[in-house]
Amino acid sequence: MTRARRWGAGLALTWLLLLLAVALTVPYLPLAFSPDTVDLTNIAMPPQVSQFSHPGHLLGTDPYGRDVLTALLYGTRTALLVSLPAALLAALAGISSGSSAGFWGNSGLRVKTGWLVAAGAAVLFTLAALPCYWGSYRMLYLLAIPTGFFMVGGILLQVKRLSAPVPIPLDSLLQACITLVSSIPRLVLVLALAAVVEPSLPTLVLVLALSSWVGTARLVRAEVARVRQLPYLEAARAAGIPELRLLVRHVLPNALRPVKTSFPLSIAGLIGLETTLSFLGVGLPPEVPSWGRTLALVRLTPTAWWLVVFPVLLILLTTLALQQLASRPRG
Amino acid sequence: MIRLFTSLFLLVVFAEASSCSSSPASRELPLRVRWIRDPETLDPLTQPNENARQGVNLLYQSLLTVDYEQQRFVPLLAESMPSVRHQGARTLITYRLRDSARWDDGQPVLARDVEFTLKVMNCPDLPNEEVRAQFGFITALQPDPLDSRRFTLVCEGAAPELVLASGDFPILPAHYLDPQNKLGAVPLAALQQDSLALRHYPDVAPFVQRYKAAQIGQHPDALPGSGPYRLASWKTGQQLEFRRKPRWWGQALQQTAPQLQARPEQIEFHVIPDDATALLAMRRADVDLYPRMPAREFGRLQADSARHPELSFYTAPSYDMTVAGFNTRSSLLAHRLTRQAISHLFDVPQLIQATQQGHAYRSVGLINPENKAFYNDSLRPFAFDPTEASRLLVRAGWQRTATGWERQRPGQSPQRLALRLSYRAGEPTYEAIGLQLRAAAAQLGIPITLHPTESSVLSGRLRAGEYDLYLRSMTGNPFVYNFAPILHTESIGSGNFTRFGTPDSDRLIKSITTEQNPQRKARLLRRLQALLQAECPLTVLYFNRYQIVAASRLANLQISGLPPGYNVMAITSRPDDSH
């Protein structure tokens, strides 16, 4: 690693740690204004020099009279609260689906027909009935669905024809899902999903994760399919190691290198996406401070340069830092 | 042969040259107006928003219309202003339709059409709740046996504004929608009063089905209208284009009846929900008229007017008000003192300064303060006073706890005061009001979450009562004082979003509608304002001022405080700039 690269990586890490520290400690920072404070006498004010006796708006105010510095610091927490869980969820979904498809292919995993039918029935039942009765009978459903699954599966297995194992075409299923999700532009997909569900932090995380797992799944599938062919796995199989253990203990550790590289990039992408959504006024409730929302307010006051410069600087530095982290050589 | 070719060549050149010179000269540029939202429907029965009303008025006509310059009603389809007689508690209003008034298919507009329209407005199972409440005072139509254009409307009550209100609904073509005159046999009173009219009159149900199947709201071009324009195209959420009819019955009368003017050849309404985008479109001359520009943009553009000689700026005090409404049937807001407490958390003077650049004005209620005769000046608008709000909450049974405000309920778990504020998404003024209220409420320990909602979804939620608090604009007028569509219990589920209504308020609203004596009417209106302030189903935050920006090439906009703030049919291009 060259000296410049080391410096770059160090700076990137410092910046990201600083952001993390701000996100964790922002409610305890000695800020002059809270994120809820609306100062209607000072709307769209340019940055002011703060005095000890009379705190001013260091980075100015937005057109609703909110302090930009406070909004950006709290926006850091929002960016992390949205992008980090979404990236983790997406990575988890991508790794589990991609590794299963890559490892078992279309014929490696065999399940008894009875269980398949029971699982299909449970999914159909959940999709049909849950939206109508979820509110009133939540606990009942949570108990009834797994109980029903095992009972129906158990009964069906008594039928001779339904007790024979059949292969599950995991790879084809995953490929179809990936094609389906990839065929819709990511922003359009997220906008459509965000328009359907009520705006809140958990729903936004879920929506972002749903749209972002595809890349990881594709990478992991390809890598697992490569590792699967290696001779040491043949040896492990011959030694009688169970399939699941083989996948988790011996395949995944060797297949996750690309994911480690793409994870920071995925966070950067999600921060960008969250900012875009907030800019468009979709996703998060309006009272939640966010970099994108602060940036969007420039449309109300096009001359307010401070509403562009500071959020853009934050987004730029964070994205660059994450990219620097991703391009760091490993091994 | 050479001569022939030369002649042909000259003919072609001449024809080409003449077409080049005459074609642009004979065609006017379309008038392009910014609309903030899609009209959703152009059905004359529903008219869910102001744009729908404006569009409907281009296609259909009512008996009377407003003269924007004089701010008074003038005859439109009617030949003259109606003659009025009083008969006990009833008012008999006699109209005669213009001889030359015609539908697009050449059929005359007759008293039968008016009677048919009234019946459709009261027909069960049609989306007519609002018009039914608004025009329910017209109980019968007596046609003149000797003159098919003359008729008398029998109205309950004797208020002077009944006369104006009686002529303010678009007339539909009976011969087209009901060619077999099936509704003719059904009395209007039966449709109004008989809840089982569909069963008692078997002809009504097939008519209702036909009317619904015609989908007039989405395809008004299929229906002949009497108005000067036809709908040429409608790209939902993007643009509506209206074209002037080449032959329209009103053209011949324009000299003597200026209300029949239809100057622009082509009118395009561009739906641009976002204000910043609309401002950009105005600056780039993609639209010619930007009605009701937000105060901040208007002020900024006007300050920079030296760099924009192509733009003209107009303002007018309006009857538009910004209102906060409460769901009075929600258990959290059922107590009037709770609603009063929340009303004390709006910092209205600061909001006027911040969002309207100080150009709006306060009011104690739905009556414009400019109307000195009817405005209750003994009342004071709710002041921004969190201490008073706390006091009122305690009186309403709420107790301050470490986590907020709670109220004990017998046999139930304690109720926590947490509210949801709904408003139209993408509207910065509502967002500013919402954030201010949220901040003030948070200081008091009341969590308020903001729910910016898409316009048509919001309308549905307000009608269904699925909200706690809302912010919206309402429009009044200086002519009619009929609050039944927005505050009467009969309008719950349609226009009465607050779901407010007491026997006393219902009686008072009906009395105001029917009262004829101006002094008594003033007393009743003052009483209503006091009652509304005490019950607080809604709080009028302020009355707005219209700010309109138009291309300088446009003239005769007839700017007024009546919505939409200009008369689109009167607008002309200045001679020098028409091309």
Side-chain angles (χ1 to χ4, degrees), chain A residues 145-181:
Chain A
I145 290 171
T147 316
F149 167 73
F150 283 111
M151 277 177 67
V152 171
I155 292 167
L156 289 175
L157 284 182
Q158 303 307 312
V159 182
K160 198 175 176 185
R161 290 182 64 182
L162 296 179
S163 61
V166 288
I168 298 178
L170 271 180
D171 200 27
S172 299
L173 281 174
L174 181 73
Q175 297 276 32
C177 282
I178 287 177
T179 312
L180 186 74
V181 176

Side-chain angles (χ1 to χ4, degrees), chain A residues 36-38 40-41 43 63-64 66 198 285-287 293 299-303, chain B residues 276 296-297 300 350-351 354 423 428 431-432 435-436 438-439 449-452:
Chain A
D36 287 337
T37 305
V38 174
L40 290 175
T41 50
I43 55 165
Y64 300 136
R66 291 177 299 186
E198 191 89 349
E287 64 269 20
R293 208 168 270 281
R299 287 184 297 182
L300 301 181
T301 38
T303 50
Chain B
R296 193 180 292 140
E297 276 78 12
R300 198 180 307 124
Q350 291 279 17
L351 284 169
Y423 55 88
E431 194 140 311
L435 287 168
Q436 182 277 316
R438 186 175 173 275
T449 48
L450 307 185
H451 289 263

Side-chain angles (χ1 to χ4, degrees), chain B residues 33-328:
Chain B
V33 182
R34 183 261 176 142
W35 265 359
I36 196 163
R37 60 167 131 165
D38 197 76
E40 296 172 28
T41 172
L42 290 175
D43 187 340
L45 289 185
T46 38
Q47 303 184 32
N49 55 55
E50 189 189 293
N51 296 344
R53 274 190 285 284
Q54 203 180 356
V56 165
N57 285 339
L58 297 175
L59 303 170
Y60 315 98
Q61 291 173 302
S62 44
L63 298 168
L64 306 175
T65 189
V66 174
D67 183 326
Y68 283 85
E69 282 182 321
Q70 305 289 328
Q71 298 226 351
R72 64 186 174 90
F73 270 85
V74 287
L76 189 65
L77 272 178
E79 189 175 66
S80 58
M81 290 303 282
S83 60
V84 181
R85 280 180 297 136
H86 294 288
Q87 200 178 65
R90 289 176 172 174
T91 307
L92 304 180
I93 306 169
T94 304
Y95 285 94
R96 191 179 184 283
L97 295 161
R98 291 179 193 270
D99 287 324
S100 51
R102 290 274 184 281
W103 300 107
D104 291 346
D105 53 9
Q107 296 287 322
V109 182
L110 301 173
R112 191 198 146 198
D113 295 310
V114 182
E115 188 177 20
F116 167 77
T117 307
L118 285 169
K119 286 178 182 174
V120 175
M121 283 160 56
N122 287 283
C123 207
D125 217 17
L126 283 178
N128 53 12
E129 295 85 357
E130 241 171 276
V131 281
R132 190 192 276 228
Q134 203 174 345
F135 297 98
F137 64 91
I138 306 174
T139 53
L141 182 145
Q142 295 170 347
D144 188 326
L146 301 175
D147 185 350
S148 59
R149 289 187 171 83
R150 186 183 295 278
F151 59 91
T152 300
L153 296 177
V154 181
C155 303
E156 287 298 326
E161 61 255 29
L162 286 189
V163 181
L164 306 177
S166 71
D168 193 21
F169 55 90
I171 308 296
L172 294 168
H175 70 280
Y176 187 86
L177 287 166
D178 188 19
Q180 293 167 331
N181 199 18
K182 296 278 187 192
L183 278 192
V186 187
L188 177 61
L191 290 168
Q192 282 178 325
Q193 291 154 17
D194 189 355
S195 57
L196 299 173
L198 278 177
R199 198 182 296 171
H200 293 159
Y201 296 95
D203 285 337
V204 177
F207 168 76
V208 169
Q209 278 178 358
R210 274 203 313 281
Y211 187 91
K212 284 180 176 171
Q215 292 191 323
I216 294 166
Q218 273 62 45
H219 304 286
D221 40 332
L223 186 70
S226 63
Y229 291 87
R230 65 177 180 81
L231 182 67
S233 71
W234 182 356
K235 291 175 197 156
T236 309
Q238 293 178 41
Q239 188 180 323
L240 285 91
E241 185 186 326
F242 291 87
R243 290 236 173 93
R244 198 171 61 196
K245 293 168 187 166
R247 284 183 304 149
W248 175 57
W249 66 268
Q251 269 167 341
L253 301 173
Q254 284 172 352
Q255 291 299 321
T256 51
Q259 64 270 33
L260 285 169
Q261 62 198 334
R263 300 283 177 77
E265 218 169 77
Q266 189 181 334
I267 305 170
E268 290 174 10
F269 293 102
H270 293 249
V271 180
I272 311 174
D274 183 58
D275 287 331
T277 316
L279 182 67
L280 196 65
M282 191 74 219
R283 286 181 129 151
R284 290 172 40 157
D286 289 338
V287 291
D288 304 313
L289 183 62
Y290 186 156
R292 303 202 220 167
M293 185 177 275
R296 193 180 292 140
E297 276 78 12
F298 184 84
R300 198 180 307 124
L301 206 59
Q302 199 174 25
D304 203 19
S305 57
R307 285 176 57 196
H308 297 286
E310 74 283 4
L311 298 178
S312 300
F313 300 84
Y314 306 90
T315 57
S318 81
Y319 294 89
D320 273 13
M321 49 199 130
T322 302
V323 173
F326 301 91
N327 186 350
T328 57

Side-chain angles (χ1 to χ4, degrees), chain A residues 89-102:
Chain A
L89 262 179
L92 201 69
I95 290 169
S96 51
S97 60
S99 60
S100 311

Side-chain angles (χ1 to χ4, degrees), chain A residues 221-260:
Chain A
R221 181 191 157 275
E223 200 61 14
V224 168
R226 184 185 65 81
V227 173
R228 188 176 66 162
Q229 309 295 336
L230 296 179
Y232 80 90
L233 276 182
E234 290 298 321
R237 273 206 181 93
I241 298 175
E243 290 280 284
L244 194 63
R245 192 168 160 205
L246 205 64
L247 172 64
V248 177
R249 301 284 294 272
H250 300 282
V251 176
L252 274 183
N254 289 318
L256 284 185
R257 183 171 292 219
V259 178
K260 284 176 192 160

Side-chain angles (χ1 to χ4, degrees), chain A residues 43-331:
Chain A
I43 55 165
M45 288 290 286
Q48 302 166 321
V49 178
S50 195
Q51 292 168 357
F52 186 74
S53 57
H54 183 73
H57 300 280
L58 270 176
L59 300 185
T61 62
D62 69 11
Y64 300 136
R66 291 177 299 186
D67 186 54
V68 171
L69 175 66
T70 312
L72 291 179
L73 290 178
Y74 274 85
T76 308
R77 195 169 63 158
T78 309
L80 256 68
L81 274 176
V82 172
S83 61
L84 215 57
L88 282 171
L89 262 179
L92 201 69
I95 290 169
S96 51
S97 60
S99 60
S100 311
F103 188 70
W104 281 299
N106 278 331
S107 54
L109 188 67
R110 298 172 82 84
V111 176
K112 288 182 177 171
T113 318
W115 290 124
L116 265 186
V117 175
V123 169
L124 279 179
F125 179 75
T126 310
L127 288 177
L130 208 59
C132 311
Y133 302 106
W134 174 252
S136 345
Y137 304 103
R138 185 176 301 189
M139 286 315 290
L140 197 65
Y141 270 100
L142 285 176
L143 286 173
I145 290 171
T147 316
F149 167 73
F150 283 111
M151 277 177 67
V152 171
I155 292 167
L156 289 175
L157 284 182
Q158 303 307 312
V159 182
K160 198 175 176 185
R161 290 182 64 182
L162 296 179
S163 61
V166 288
I168 298 178
L170 271 180
D171 200 27
S172 299
L173 281 174
L174 181 73
Q175 297 276 32
C177 282
I178 287 177
T179 312
L180 186 74
V181 176
S182 310
S183 63
I184 310 166
R186 196 175 174 201
L187 187 61
V188 175
L189 180 71
V190 173
L191 278 176
L193 287 171
V196 174
V197 293
E198 191 89 349
S200 71
L201 204 65
T203 53
L204 185 65
V205 167
L206 210 64
V207 163
L208 292 181
L210 271 175
S211 70
S212 316
W213 62 276
V214 173
T216 315
R218 215 181 256 152
L219 276 177
V220 173
R221 181 191 157 275
E223 200 61 14
V224 168
R226 184 185 65 81
V227 173
R228 188 176 66 162
Q229 309 295 336
L230 296 179
Y232 80 90
L233 276 182
E234 290 298 321
R237 273 206 181 93
I241 298 175
E243 290 280 284
L244 194 63
R245 192 168 160 205
L246 205 64
L247 172 64
V248 177
R249 301 284 294 272
H250 300 282
V251 176
L252 274 183
N254 289 318
L256 284 185
R257 183 171 292 219
V259 178
K260 284 176 192 160
T261 308
S262 71
F263 189 69
L265 291 177
S266 155
I267 294 177
L270 286 168
I271 287 177
L273 194 57
E274 185 275 313
T275 310
T276 312
L277 287 181
S278 297
F279 186 84
L280 296 173
V282 186
L284 286 171
E287 64 269 20
V288 177
S290 134
W291 295 344
R293 208 168 270 281
T294 306
L295 185 62
L297 291 175
V298 79
R299 287 184 297 182
L300 301 181
T301 38
T303 50
W305 57 266
W306 56 96
L307 293 177
V308 180
V309 170
F310 301 121
V312 164
L313 210 62
L314 274 179
I315 295 165
L316 191 73
L317 287 176
T318 311
T319 313
L320 283 176
L322 285 164
Q323 280 184 352
Q324 183 69 36
L325 215 63
S327 65
R328 192 164 54 100
R330 288 161 207 280

